[in-house]
Amino acid sequence: MILRYSCAMLLAVGLFTQSNVKPTAQPSAQNLLVSGTVVDALTSQPLSQAQVFLTAQGVRDSEQFVMTGEDGRFRFKNLSPGHYVLFGNHKGYIQQVYKQHAQFSTAIIVGPDLDTEHLRFDLRPTASISGQVLDERNEPVRNAQAILFHQTIRFGRHTTWREREVNTDDRGRYRLGYLLPGVYFVAVSAQPWYAQRRTHQHIQLTDSSGQTTYQEITNGEPELDVVYPVTFFSHAENLAEAVPITLHAGDAEVADFSLQPVPALHVLIHSATSSEPENVWAQVSQTLSNGSKMGVQTNTQQIAPGLFEISGLPPGKLRLGLVSSKDGESNTRWNNIQLAGDTDINTSDAAPSSSVSGVMKFDDNAKRTSPMSLRLSSGAANEEYLMQADERGEFSLKGSVPPGTYDLLVGQPPAGAIRALSATGAKVSGHTLEIAAGQDVKLSVVLSRGTGKISGVALKGGKPMDGVMVVLVPEDPERNLELFRRDQSDSDGSFNLPAVHPGKYTAVAIENGWELDWFTPGVIQKYLPGGKLVQVSADSTQTVDVPVQP
Amino acid sequence: MFDRMLPALLLLVVPNTLFANLQFQAAPRTYDARGTVVNSVTGEAVSGALVQLYGARQRAMLTGPDGKFQFEGLPNGSFQVSVQKPGYFSPEQIRRNGAPLKLVNTEEERPVTLKLIPEGIVYGRITGDNGEPLGYMPVQILWERVENGKRTRENSRNVRTDEQGEFRQAELQPGKYFVFVGPSSWPASFPARLSQGGARGYPGVFYPGAPDLSSAASVEITPGKHAEINLSLSSQPFYRISGTVSGYGPEQGVTMQMVSASGQPIGAGVQFDEARGTFRSSWVPAGACTVTAESQDPKTNQQSYASQRLNITSDLGSVHLALLPSAVIPVNIRLETTRNEPQVDTTSYFFSSGGRNQMRTPQYSPARVVLKPQQHLFMQQQEFSQSVTDEDPTPAIRNVPPGLYSVEVNPSGPPYVQSARSGSVDLLEQSLTVAPGGSNQPIEIVLRDDFATLEGSLAFGPGSESATIIVISANSPNAVPQRNVVLTNTVHSFQIPQLAPGEYKILAVDNPDELEYGNPDVVRKYVTKARDVSLTPNQKAKIELEVVHIGD
């Protein structure tokens, strides 16, 4: 089953008061049981004093609680048939729903002929990474940001995902607790607290003959005009050279940092329109990992008409957005630079932005029930732009999209999938757009609604199997991420795939599928022959039993 | 060498002749400024401290291992210097309101000593019934101090305990603090059936275990003090609230919150069922609290608000909240001009606070009106303000939730506030009650420009290094006295321009940071030493004051 809330939310409000789900349990109590043992996933030792919660899905006030005894056992009595959610919590362990894998878990299906009395509820000990950040004087760096990256599977692909950040305290210490086992990276971003930016000034000199020259004056001390480049553990400049930290359940790893300042770099921006009153400032970012970029703190200052100085830049690969505003109109130009020293840039060398606008509609012409949005996503440039459609389905992004190749995605995937895309001003191939510098783009998008349903049972050797990953694979899978559907089989082996768009699919069930990067080209293909073909039409409900593959 | 002598000029046209002079002149004699940075408590040298010197060109350097600094190549004269380092406060940061920077004189060639005051730290561990560490517990550190003549309690950054139940808060200035821990946002134990009573959690307590501030013990932080605060909490019954909300439209979401009597959000959230109009809170501790509901019409942006005060001693069902539109309070400002200053036409020009003439534009606002809600201990509540401009034909403060507000009128420029009323309520003296849902009476403000000016001379006693003049209105005893000009003992005269005509008591004191001059009981001690002044419109009055020493 698919969980509607994150784990923390489940604890807060979701689990116990899910009232808008159709009730599945019969009101009359019968003498059915849910029982089992909570164990440490690593050692298989029973866990006493674990909190176990059971909720009949969609039944108000059905939440029950027990604490496990010395033998780790829990037991809920007098239950009616229905779908139940089992949730476990123990100090020092990751709180989770039964057999939880991210947003998926196994619901306990209670019924007269179903065995729900021998459950093994694995809880994994939490792990942590902590450390201290020191500066070049071996003094603690306060308020440094420790950034945690997790090597994991997202949207069916291996990615190194930026998970969260914490700040160091007055001792320069940070702690990233409550971590799942896995592979992590840690980076530290900080500014030297004493940093003072050098500034340059151009003084205009006019001699008696009316000849004008400029004299450059520098203010500030070079030894204080420094930055700390983002540092990956340990002493690496980027993720590729970083040392991975592998956490096993219960591990407490230490990652200390020693930051070394480097001279801050300066970039001079020569504006094309030097005579007019113009204000320029820079929006600078740097890429930390795929899907994660970070803003760089900089100052922009005008030092002469048409000449602006960006200071406080670290060396390395940076993306500069040069925002110039004149008469209340602002315009952003883009420049990707590899900085090794101070440098000059002409705004005319930077690529102007495009406006992207258009209209979206559903292929069934029915009225939308909720507001829709589209995303323009560029993996290469690490940019993403959200376009919110109004009541008429119209959307517009004014003058801010850099040139590049973008994938058009639906903001809320189950609500709609892109069926057709056409554009003026950009080259289109499938759901991919190529936007040229300064070229405004008009899109016409047709969406389909997923109204089909597939349910069934995952069978291994003819017997229902729980905890299995069920994937509904569309035709041409590499171009149709939005059409994939996934579920985890419940305790009776059953699964449900809602909001399926019309089309041809193959349903596959994979026993140890939770580590599979199913959207990586070629990965899911080898499972297709062992799957079941399904043809889905609008508003249809189908039942398919799917054999479980190893 | 030569660039250091040039003043910080930006885009200035320098005549070539002047520049040539600078270039070819024989280098004048230069001087050094030097000194040592020390820890004010231990007297030890502080290395790696940033010293900044403010001259024609700003200079900066870090002190060496011996805490010493030296700026070379300076002209003769006095320069202001400041010092900073993480983990320390500079004397200017600790003495608010106009404490001057230290001066270094290059001609005297005498090294200066700059002091850094080490920060205070509060840290500790929170444990529960069986001595187990309590993680994710909110910890608030309240700093009680006198600010602008009033005793206030400032909330430090909120911190939470980590998995080991530990918390830590650095960067505390010397002073008096209170530590408040909890309540836990989630119960520690549950009943067998969660819909029935019996959950237990940890309530909020003040160190060392007091239920309220009046019975709490303060923590004195002196410079450099690290105070360890360990608290062992006992679990108590927690309860849930449920009920209904009415008065929201079909497309409108409703946001609900539970807030303790001291303004702290409590519990882990309120679940609202839009279709049924029902809500249920997560578990909260016993005691007084308020449940609030807010909603906004997406089309008109009109906000609605409802709140219900509860005293929780058991699970509560059938609490009803009826959303009512938040108030719209019209604001009318009348400016009465009496002066015919040369070159100033009050219809098209107005003088700004800097004394220069300012063009009167459609954006020009004669005053800004601020509604400040009653302060809770832990929550800085939203203020509502409106700048009344010619552009807005119906100036009003919108979306104000019901409650009690103090009204502040800040005129832009010299005019003073002659009156601010809402119906029969004098807003300069009394609070404004904003009624739920109803239309509210307009706030009527009268500004006048026939202000008086007060001049005077000061007599400093021995040991008084500086003076602050406190102006107490004798006409409106409830108005908070204003602190005014700050002077050092080298200056013996003062001028306070733009005072509203009326009766005043004028007091000069030497240590206003320590004086709760907003409290009439405290001021009474010194008020005999104040001078009574009666100011008539446009008057220029003169008085003599003795600087009163505020004792330890």
Side-chain angles (χ1 to χ4, degrees), chain A residues 11 19 51 61 63-65 137 139 142 170 201 219 221, chain B residues 9 57 62 85 87 119 168 171 186 188 192 194 273 280:
Chain A
L11 250 185
S19 54
Q51 297 182 330
D61 297 340
E63 307 91 354
Q64 297 188 51
F65 167 79
R137 285 180 188 76
E139 294 191 297
R142 297 178 178 218
D170 58 290
Q201 292 161 5
N219 270 315
E221 336 282 337
Chain B
L9 296 176
R57 193 167 82 84
L62 295 171
K85 184 171 183 177
E119 67 186 347
R168 189 176 171 91
E171 291 169 17
W186 192 247
L194 269 62
D273 185 331
R280 167 172 259 183

PDB file of all heavy atoms in Angstrom, chain A residues 11 19 51 61 63-65 137 139 142 170 201 219 221, chain B residues 9 57 62 85 87 119 168 171 186 188 192 194 273 280:
ATOM      1  N   LEU A  11       2.905   9.981  12.511  1.00  0.00           N
ATOM      2  CA  LEU A  11       2.891  10.047  13.963  1.00  0.00           C
ATOM      3  C   LEU A  11       2.060  11.235  14.423  1.00  0.00           C
ATOM      4  O   LEU A  11       1.304  11.147  15.371  1.00  0.00           O
ATOM      5  CB  LEU A  11       4.315  10.221  14.477  1.00  0.00           C
ATOM      6  CG  LEU A  11       4.887   9.021  15.187  1.00  0.00           C
ATOM      7  CD1 LEU A  11       6.235   9.353  15.745  1.00  0.00           C
ATOM      8  CD2 LEU A  11       3.956   8.567  16.296  1.00  0.00           C
ATOM      9  N   SER A  19      -9.636   9.905   8.033  1.00  0.00           N
ATOM     10  CA  SER A  19     -11.078   9.679   8.035  1.00  0.00           C
ATOM     11  C   SER A  19     -11.671   9.711   6.642  1.00  0.00           C
ATOM     12  O   SER A  19     -12.780   9.269   6.437  1.00  0.00           O
ATOM     13  CB  SER A  19     -11.750  10.725   8.904  1.00  0.00           C
ATOM     14  OG  SER A  19     -11.365  11.999   8.462  1.00  0.00           O
ATOM     15  N   GLN A  51       6.882   0.587  21.083  1.00  0.00           N
ATOM     16  CA  GLN A  51       5.498   1.048  20.962  1.00  0.00           C
ATOM     17  C   GLN A  51       4.940   0.548  19.633  1.00  0.00           C
ATOM     18  O   GLN A  51       5.551   0.774  18.584  1.00  0.00           O
ATOM     19  CB  GLN A  51       5.436   2.575  20.997  1.00  0.00           C
ATOM     20  CG  GLN A  51       5.918   3.164  22.313  1.00  0.00           C
ATOM     21  CD  GLN A  51       5.800   4.681  22.325  1.00  0.00           C
ATOM     22  OE1 GLN A  51       5.892   5.335  21.298  1.00  0.00           O
ATOM     23  NE2 GLN A  51       5.587   5.243  23.514  1.00  0.00           N
ATOM     24  N   ASP A  61     -11.410   6.536  15.145  1.00  0.00           N
ATOM     25  CA  ASP A  61     -11.190   6.123  16.527  1.00  0.00           C
ATOM     26  C   ASP A  61     -10.858   4.643  16.666  1.00  0.00           C
ATOM     27  O   ASP A  61     -11.206   4.002  17.648  1.00  0.00           O
ATOM     28  CB  ASP A  61     -12.420   6.462  17.388  1.00  0.00           C
ATOM     29  CG  ASP A  61     -12.654   7.957  17.442  1.00  0.00           C
ATOM     30  OD1 ASP A  61     -11.688   8.697  17.163  1.00  0.00           O
ATOM     31  OD2 ASP A  61     -13.778   8.371  17.741  1.00  0.00           O
ATOM     32  N   GLU A  63      -7.726   3.502  16.506  1.00  0.00           N
ATOM     33  CA  GLU A  63      -6.310   3.330  16.819  1.00  0.00           C
ATOM     34  C   GLU A  63      -6.121   2.605  18.146  1.00  0.00           C
ATOM     35  O   GLU A  63      -6.761   2.931  19.135  1.00  0.00           O
ATOM     36  CB  GLU A  63      -5.597   4.685  16.889  1.00  0.00           C
ATOM     37  CG  GLU A  63      -5.777   5.558  15.675  1.00  0.00           C
ATOM     38  CD  GLU A  63      -6.978   6.481  15.784  1.00  0.00           C
ATOM     39  OE1 GLU A  63      -7.744   6.368  16.755  1.00  0.00           O
ATOM     40  OE2 GLU A  63      -7.146   7.313  14.894  1.00  0.00           O
ATOM     41  N   GLN A  64      -5.223   1.605  18.115  1.00  0.00           N
ATOM     42  CA  GLN A  64      -4.910   0.871  19.336  1.00  0.00           C
ATOM     43  C   GLN A  64      -3.416   0.906  19.576  1.00  0.00           C
ATOM     44  O   GLN A  64      -2.633   1.118  18.654  1.00  0.00           O
ATOM     45  CB  GLN A  64      -5.361  -0.578  19.221  1.00  0.00           C
ATOM     46  CG  GLN A  64      -6.851  -0.729  19.054  1.00  0.00           C
ATOM     47  CD  GLN A  64      -7.252  -2.187  19.133  1.00  0.00           C
ATOM     48  OE1 GLN A  64      -6.884  -2.892  20.067  1.00  0.00           O
ATOM     49  NE2 GLN A  64      -7.982  -2.641  18.140  1.00  0.00           N
ATOM     50  N   PHE A  65      -3.055   0.660  20.825  1.00  0.00           N
ATOM     51  CA  PHE A  65      -1.648   0.753  21.204  1.00  0.00           C
ATOM     52  C   PHE A  65      -1.285  -0.397  22.128  1.00  0.00           C
ATOM     53  O   PHE A  65      -2.068  -0.751  23.015  1.00  0.00           O
ATOM     54  CB  PHE A  65      -1.417   2.084  21.928  1.00  0.00           C
ATOM     55  CG  PHE A  65      -0.105   2.178  22.627  1.00  0.00           C
ATOM     56  CD1 PHE A  65       1.056   2.450  21.918  1.00  0.00           C
ATOM     57  CD2 PHE A  65      -0.021   2.003  24.008  1.00  0.00           C
ATOM     58  CE1 PHE A  65       2.271   2.539  22.575  1.00  0.00           C
ATOM     59  CE2 PHE A  65       1.199   2.094  24.657  1.00  0.00           C
ATOM     60  CZ  PHE A  65       2.348   2.361  23.935  1.00  0.00           C
ATOM     61  N   ARG A 137      42.827  28.482  12.168  1.00  0.00           N
ATOM     62  CA  ARG A 137      43.489  28.709  13.450  1.00  0.00           C
ATOM     63  C   ARG A 137      43.135  27.618  14.452  1.00  0.00           C
ATOM     64  O   ARG A 137      43.357  27.779  15.639  1.00  0.00           O
ATOM     65  CB  ARG A 137      43.061  30.056  14.030  1.00  0.00           C
ATOM     66  CG  ARG A 137      43.698  31.220  13.358  1.00  0.00           C
ATOM     67  CD  ARG A 137      43.238  32.536  13.958  1.00  0.00           C
ATOM     68  NE  ARG A 137      43.752  33.609  13.142  1.00  0.00           N
ATOM     69  CZ  ARG A 137      43.244  33.943  11.973  1.00  0.00           C
ATOM     70  NH1 ARG A 137      42.165  33.328  11.522  1.00  0.00           N
ATOM     71  NH2 ARG A 137      43.776  34.899  11.253  1.00  0.00           N
ATOM     72  N   GLU A 139      40.246  27.037  15.434  1.00  0.00           N
ATOM     73  CA  GLU A 139      39.155  27.515  16.266  1.00  0.00           C
ATOM     74  C   GLU A 139      37.840  27.049  15.649  1.00  0.00           C
ATOM     75  O   GLU A 139      37.734  26.908  14.428  1.00  0.00           O
ATOM     76  CB  GLU A 139      39.205  29.040  16.372  1.00  0.00           C
ATOM     77  CG  GLU A 139      40.448  29.471  17.112  1.00  0.00           C
ATOM     78  CD  GLU A 139      40.446  30.948  17.484  1.00  0.00           C
ATOM     79  OE1 GLU A 139      40.436  31.796  16.582  1.00  0.00           O
ATOM     80  OE2 GLU A 139      40.467  31.232  18.683  1.00  0.00           O
ATOM     81  N   ARG A 142      31.429  28.524  13.881  1.00  0.00           N
ATOM     82  CA  ARG A 142      30.009  28.527  14.262  1.00  0.00           C
ATOM     83  C   ARG A 142      29.141  28.679  13.028  1.00  0.00           C
ATOM     84  O   ARG A 142      29.555  29.315  12.059  1.00  0.00           O
ATOM     85  CB  ARG A 142      29.699  29.735  15.141  1.00  0.00           C
ATOM     86  CG  ARG A 142      30.430  29.732  16.405  1.00  0.00           C
ATOM     87  CD  ARG A 142      30.109  30.990  17.189  1.00  0.00           C
ATOM     88  NE  ARG A 142      30.825  30.890  18.446  1.00  0.00           N
ATOM     89  CZ  ARG A 142      30.356  31.284  19.599  1.00  0.00           C
ATOM     90  NH1 ARG A 142      29.177  31.861  19.673  1.00  0.00           N
ATOM     91  NH2 ARG A 142      31.051  31.133  20.690  1.00  0.00           N
ATOM     92  N   ASP A 170      28.331  26.538  18.900  1.00  0.00           N
ATOM     93  CA  ASP A 170      29.449  27.405  19.263  1.00  0.00           C
ATOM     94  C   ASP A 170      30.769  26.642  19.368  1.00  0.00           C
ATOM     95  O   ASP A 170      31.828  27.242  19.335  1.00  0.00           O
ATOM     96  CB  ASP A 170      29.144  28.121  20.582  1.00  0.00           C
ATOM     97  CG  ASP A 170      28.874  27.132  21.702  1.00  0.00           C
ATOM     98  OD1 ASP A 170      27.818  26.473  21.666  1.00  0.00           O
ATOM     99  OD2 ASP A 170      29.721  26.989  22.604  1.00  0.00           O
ATOM    100  N   GLN A 201      37.467  50.998  -6.959  1.00  0.00           N
ATOM    101  CA  GLN A 201      36.756  52.198  -7.382  1.00  0.00           C
ATOM    102  C   GLN A 201      37.481  52.797  -8.566  1.00  0.00           C
ATOM    103  O   GLN A 201      38.700  52.763  -8.618  1.00  0.00           O
ATOM    104  CB  GLN A 201      36.723  53.220  -6.232  1.00  0.00           C
ATOM    105  CG  GLN A 201      35.867  52.755  -5.090  1.00  0.00           C
ATOM    106  CD  GLN A 201      36.181  53.481  -3.817  1.00  0.00           C
ATOM    107  OE1 GLN A 201      36.983  54.403  -3.794  1.00  0.00           O
ATOM    108  NE2 GLN A 201      35.537  53.077  -2.753  1.00  0.00           N
ATOM    109  N   ASN A 219      40.413  49.233  -2.228  1.00  0.00           N
ATOM    110  CA  ASN A 219      40.223  49.353  -0.782  1.00  0.00           C
ATOM    111  C   ASN A 219      40.141  47.975  -0.168  1.00  0.00           C
ATOM    112  O   ASN A 219      39.570  47.066  -0.762  1.00  0.00           O
ATOM    113  CB  ASN A 219      38.907  50.087  -0.478  1.00  0.00           C
ATOM    114  CG  ASN A 219      39.120  51.571  -0.384  1.00  0.00           C
ATOM    115  OD1 ASN A 219      40.068  52.017   0.252  1.00  0.00           O
ATOM    116  ND2 ASN A 219      38.259  52.323  -1.026  1.00  0.00           N
ATOM    117  N   GLU A 221      41.824  44.847   2.688  1.00  0.00           N
ATOM    118  CA  GLU A 221      43.047  44.072   2.875  1.00  0.00           C
ATOM    119  C   GLU A 221      42.877  42.713   2.195  1.00  0.00           C
ATOM    120  O   GLU A 221      41.938  41.987   2.488  1.00  0.00           O
ATOM    121  CB  GLU A 221      43.319  43.838   4.369  1.00  0.00           C
ATOM    122  CG  GLU A 221      42.695  44.856   5.310  1.00  0.00           C
ATOM    123  CD  GLU A 221      43.465  46.161   5.370  1.00  0.00           C
ATOM    124  OE1 GLU A 221      44.663  46.131   5.061  1.00  0.00           O
ATOM    125  OE2 GLU A 221      42.862  47.189   5.716  1.00  0.00           O
TER     126      GLU A 221
ATOM    127  N   LEU B   9      36.347  57.656  -2.284  1.00  0.00           N
ATOM    128  CA  LEU B   9      35.535  58.423  -3.231  1.00  0.00           C
ATOM    129  C   LEU B   9      34.912  57.457  -4.203  1.00  0.00           C
ATOM    130  O   LEU B   9      35.554  56.542  -4.686  1.00  0.00           O
ATOM    131  CB  LEU B   9      36.427  59.395  -4.003  1.00  0.00           C
ATOM    132  CG  LEU B   9      37.111  60.487  -3.179  1.00  0.00           C
ATOM    133  CD1 LEU B   9      38.032  61.283  -4.073  1.00  0.00           C
ATOM    134  CD2 LEU B   9      36.070  61.394  -2.547  1.00  0.00           C
ATOM    135  N   ARG B  57      39.721  55.893   5.137  1.00  0.00           N
ATOM    136  CA  ARG B  57      39.594  54.579   4.529  1.00  0.00           C
ATOM    137  C   ARG B  57      39.494  53.583   5.675  1.00  0.00           C
ATOM    138  O   ARG B  57      40.241  53.658   6.637  1.00  0.00           O
ATOM    139  CB  ARG B  57      40.853  54.307   3.718  1.00  0.00           C
ATOM    140  CG  ARG B  57      40.741  53.149   2.790  1.00  0.00           C
ATOM    141  CD  ARG B  57      41.929  53.187   1.830  1.00  0.00           C
ATOM    142  NE  ARG B  57      43.098  52.587   2.461  1.00  0.00           N
ATOM    143  CZ  ARG B  57      43.322  51.281   2.465  1.00  0.00           C
ATOM    144  NH1 ARG B  57      42.459  50.458   1.918  1.00  0.00           N
ATOM    145  NH2 ARG B  57      44.399  50.788   3.004  1.00  0.00           N
ATOM    146  N   LEU B  62      43.492  41.162  11.758  1.00  0.00           N
ATOM    147  CA  LEU B  62      43.277  40.210  12.842  1.00  0.00           C
ATOM    148  C   LEU B  62      44.453  40.335  13.811  1.00  0.00           C
ATOM    149  O   LEU B  62      45.598  40.510  13.383  1.00  0.00           O
ATOM    150  CB  LEU B  62      43.217  38.786  12.294  1.00  0.00           C
ATOM    151  CG  LEU B  62      42.040  38.473  11.374  1.00  0.00           C
ATOM    152  CD1 LEU B  62      42.218  37.106  10.735  1.00  0.00           C
ATOM    153  CD2 LEU B  62      40.726  38.519  12.145  1.00  0.00           C
ATOM    154  N   LYS B  85      34.845  39.184  17.725  1.00  0.00           N
ATOM    155  CA  LYS B  85      35.274  37.794  17.544  1.00  0.00           C
ATOM    156  C   LYS B  85      34.138  36.894  17.997  1.00  0.00           C
ATOM    157  O   LYS B  85      33.485  37.182  19.007  1.00  0.00           O
ATOM    158  CB  LYS B  85      36.526  37.504  18.368  1.00  0.00           C
ATOM    159  CG  LYS B  85      37.031  36.090  18.119  1.00  0.00           C
ATOM    160  CD  LYS B  85      38.357  35.761  18.716  1.00  0.00           C
ATOM    161  CE  LYS B  85      38.670  34.329  18.279  1.00  0.00           C
ATOM    162  NZ  LYS B  85      39.948  33.858  18.709  1.00  0.00           N
ATOM    163  N   GLY B  87      32.089  34.335  19.922  1.00  0.00           N
ATOM    164  CA  GLY B  87      32.285  33.906  21.306  1.00  0.00           C
ATOM    165  C   GLY B  87      32.452  35.067  22.260  1.00  0.00           C
ATOM    166  O   GLY B  87      32.551  34.872  23.468  1.00  0.00           O
ATOM    167  N   GLU B 119      31.086  35.506  25.935  1.00  0.00           N
ATOM    168  CA  GLU B 119      29.655  35.196  25.941  1.00  0.00           C
ATOM    169  C   GLU B 119      29.316  34.262  27.100  1.00  0.00           C
ATOM    170  O   GLU B 119      30.182  33.576  27.633  1.00  0.00           O
ATOM    171  CB  GLU B 119      29.268  34.508  24.634  1.00  0.00           C
ATOM    172  CG  GLU B 119      29.917  33.120  24.531  1.00  0.00           C
ATOM    173  CD  GLU B 119      29.710  32.424  23.209  1.00  0.00           C
ATOM    174  OE1 GLU B 119      28.885  32.866  22.422  1.00  0.00           O
ATOM    175  OE2 GLU B 119      30.406  31.422  22.978  1.00  0.00           O
ATOM    176  N   ARG B 168      21.864  23.279  24.048  1.00  0.00           N
ATOM    177  CA  ARG B 168      22.956  24.211  24.247  1.00  0.00           C
ATOM    178  C   ARG B 168      22.592  25.529  23.580  1.00  0.00           C
ATOM    179  O   ARG B 168      22.117  25.552  22.457  1.00  0.00           O
ATOM    180  CB  ARG B 168      24.219  23.635  23.605  1.00  0.00           C
ATOM    181  CG  ARG B 168      25.468  24.394  23.921  1.00  0.00           C
ATOM    182  CD  ARG B 168      26.658  23.664  23.305  1.00  0.00           C
ATOM    183  NE  ARG B 168      27.840  24.494  23.431  1.00  0.00           N
ATOM    184  CZ  ARG B 168      28.664  24.442  24.470  1.00  0.00           C
ATOM    185  NH1 ARG B 168      28.454  23.586  25.444  1.00  0.00           N
ATOM    186  NH2 ARG B 168      29.700  25.253  24.525  1.00  0.00           N
ATOM    187  N   GLU B 171      26.057  32.518  22.951  1.00  0.00           N
ATOM    188  CA  GLU B 171      25.832  33.920  22.581  1.00  0.00           C
ATOM    189  C   GLU B 171      24.866  34.625  23.519  1.00  0.00           C
ATOM    190  O   GLU B 171      24.001  35.383  23.085  1.00  0.00           O
ATOM    191  CB  GLU B 171      25.373  34.012  21.117  1.00  0.00           C
ATOM    192  CG  GLU B 171      26.513  33.626  20.183  1.00  0.00           C
ATOM    193  CD  GLU B 171      26.106  33.423  18.737  1.00  0.00           C
ATOM    194  OE1 GLU B 171      25.018  33.872  18.366  1.00  0.00           O
ATOM    195  OE2 GLU B 171      26.894  32.822  17.999  1.00  0.00           O
ATOM    196  N   TRP B 186       4.588  15.307  21.753  1.00  0.00           N
ATOM    197  CA  TRP B 186       4.027  13.989  21.516  1.00  0.00           C
ATOM    198  C   TRP B 186       4.023  13.233  22.841  1.00  0.00           C
ATOM    199  O   TRP B 186       4.933  13.396  23.641  1.00  0.00           O
ATOM    200  CB  TRP B 186       4.895  13.271  20.473  1.00  0.00           C
ATOM    201  CG  TRP B 186       4.285  12.043  19.932  1.00  0.00           C
ATOM    202  CD1 TRP B 186       4.725  10.766  20.127  1.00  0.00           C
ATOM    203  CD2 TRP B 186       3.123  11.952  19.126  1.00  0.00           C
ATOM    204  NE1 TRP B 186       3.891   9.905  19.480  1.00  0.00           N
ATOM    205  CE2 TRP B 186       2.912  10.604  18.860  1.00  0.00           C
ATOM    206  CE3 TRP B 186       2.232  12.899  18.609  1.00  0.00           C
ATOM    207  CZ2 TRP B 186       1.829  10.167  18.095  1.00  0.00           C
ATOM    208  CZ3 TRP B 186       1.176  12.463  17.857  1.00  0.00           C
ATOM    209  CH2 TRP B 186       0.982  11.107  17.591  1.00  0.00           C
ATOM    210  N   ALA B 188       4.426  10.433  25.792  1.00  0.00           N
ATOM    211  CA  ALA B 188       5.451   9.428  26.069  1.00  0.00           C
ATOM    212  C   ALA B 188       4.820   8.054  26.190  1.00  0.00           C
ATOM    213  O   ALA B 188       5.448   7.043  25.915  1.00  0.00           O
ATOM    214  CB  ALA B 188       6.188   9.785  27.347  1.00  0.00           C
ATOM    215  N   ALA B 192      -4.485   1.968  25.672  1.00  0.00           N
ATOM    216  CA  ALA B 192      -4.653   0.860  24.741  1.00  0.00           C
ATOM    217  C   ALA B 192      -5.497   1.275  23.541  1.00  0.00           C
ATOM    218  O   ALA B 192      -5.266   0.862  22.420  1.00  0.00           O
ATOM    219  CB  ALA B 192      -5.287  -0.331  25.449  1.00  0.00           C
ATOM    220  N   LEU B 194      -6.529   4.583  21.559  1.00  0.00           N
ATOM    221  CA  LEU B 194      -6.079   5.967  21.515  1.00  0.00           C
ATOM    222  C   LEU B 194      -7.224   6.972  21.535  1.00  0.00           C
ATOM    223  O   LEU B 194      -7.017   8.138  21.834  1.00  0.00           O
ATOM    224  CB  LEU B 194      -5.179   6.199  20.298  1.00  0.00           C
ATOM    225  CG  LEU B 194      -3.694   5.967  20.588  1.00  0.00           C
ATOM    226  CD1 LEU B 194      -3.425   4.535  21.000  1.00  0.00           C
ATOM    227  CD2 LEU B 194      -2.845   6.337  19.407  1.00  0.00           C
ATOM    228  N   ASP B 273     -10.878  18.171   9.108  1.00  0.00           N
ATOM    229  CA  ASP B 273     -11.599  17.485   8.045  1.00  0.00           C
ATOM    230  C   ASP B 273     -12.494  18.508   7.345  1.00  0.00           C
ATOM    231  O   ASP B 273     -13.526  18.905   7.875  1.00  0.00           O
ATOM    232  CB  ASP B 273     -12.429  16.335   8.655  1.00  0.00           C
ATOM    233  CG  ASP B 273     -13.107  15.494   7.580  1.00  0.00           C
ATOM    234  OD1 ASP B 273     -13.420  16.049   6.504  1.00  0.00           O
ATOM    235  OD2 ASP B 273     -13.322  14.298   7.835  1.00  0.00           O
ATOM    236  N   ARG B 280      -9.683  17.563  15.182  1.00  0.00           N
ATOM    237  CA  ARG B 280      -9.211  16.893  16.391  1.00  0.00           C
ATOM    238  C   ARG B 280      -7.741  17.230  16.554  1.00  0.00           C
ATOM    239  O   ARG B 280      -6.972  17.151  15.614  1.00  0.00           O
ATOM    240  CB  ARG B 280      -9.403  15.388  16.267  1.00  0.00           C
ATOM    241  CG  ARG B 280      -8.656  14.625  17.338  1.00  0.00           C
ATOM    242  CD  ARG B 280      -9.011  13.175  17.310  1.00  0.00           C
ATOM    243  NE  ARG B 280      -9.968  12.907  18.364  1.00  0.00           N
ATOM    244  CZ  ARG B 280     -10.437  11.687  18.623  1.00  0.00           C
ATOM    245  NH1 ARG B 280     -10.078  10.673  17.886  1.00  0.00           N
ATOM    246  NH2 ARG B 280     -11.263  11.501  19.616  1.00  0.00           N
TER     247      ARG B 280
END
